[in-house]
């Protein structure tokens, strides 16, 4: 439930808000705020939370084996890898804004 409700729900809501902000060009209007830094911190938080989620699912699989846990482990691992692939290039490029 932690991964389904807390992690996925939170990041779905924040990603939707960021998408709407970019749709309406909010970063261009509010130039005082450092949106690339915000995105960098957001993806770092997502990688950390999904990493914790993967660890929790693995612990539950070891404790009691159910097929449902393998499905959840697969989906959360794929999401973790996508956020990690998004995070690494952002972290390596440090453009002063």
């Amino acid at each position: 439930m932690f991964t389904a409700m807390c992690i996925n729900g939170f990041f779905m809501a924040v990603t939707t808000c960021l998408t709407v902000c970019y749709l309406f060009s909010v970063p261009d209007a509010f130039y005082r705020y450092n949106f690339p830094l915000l995105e960098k911190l957001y993806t770092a938080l997502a990688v950390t939370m999904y990493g914790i989620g993967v660890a929790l699912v693995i612990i539950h699989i070891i404790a009691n084996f159910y097929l449902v846990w393998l499905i959840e482990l697969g989906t959360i691992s794929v999401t973790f890898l996508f956020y990690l692939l998004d995070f690494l290039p952002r972290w390596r490029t440090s453009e002063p804004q």
Side-chain angles (χ1 to χ4, degrees):
M1 288 308 281
F2 173 73
T3 59
M5 298 304 294
C6 296
I7 298 175
N8 290 334
F10 173 75
F11 287 110
M12 183 181 69
V14 174
T15 301
T16 303
C17 289
L18 286 174
T19 303
V20 169
C21 287
Y22 276 103
L23 182 66
F24 291 113
S25 299
V26 171
D28 296 334
F30 295 101
Y31 58 88
R32 297 183 301 237
Y33 301 110
N34 193 352
F35 279 96
L37 180 63
L38 175 70
E39 289 174 352
K40 201 180 282 190
L41 293 175
Y42 174 70
T43 54
L45 178 66
V47 167
T48 303
M49 294 303 291
Y50 277 109
I52 291 170
V54 167
L56 287 175
V57 171
I58 289 173
I59 289 169
H60 284 285
I61 286 175
I62 292 171
N64 46 3
F65 181 76
Y66 294 117
L67 183 62
V68 177
W69 290 118
L70 292 178
I71 295 169
E72 185 176 355
L73 178 65
T75 57
I76 197 168
S77 296
V78 168
T79 309
F80 170 72
L81 289 175
F82 280 130
Y83 271 112
L84 184 65
L85 290 174
D86 184 39
F87 169 71
L88 290 176
R90 291 179 193 272
W91 189 258
R92 288 186 184 136
T93 60
S94 57
E95 305 168 0
Q97 294 283 334

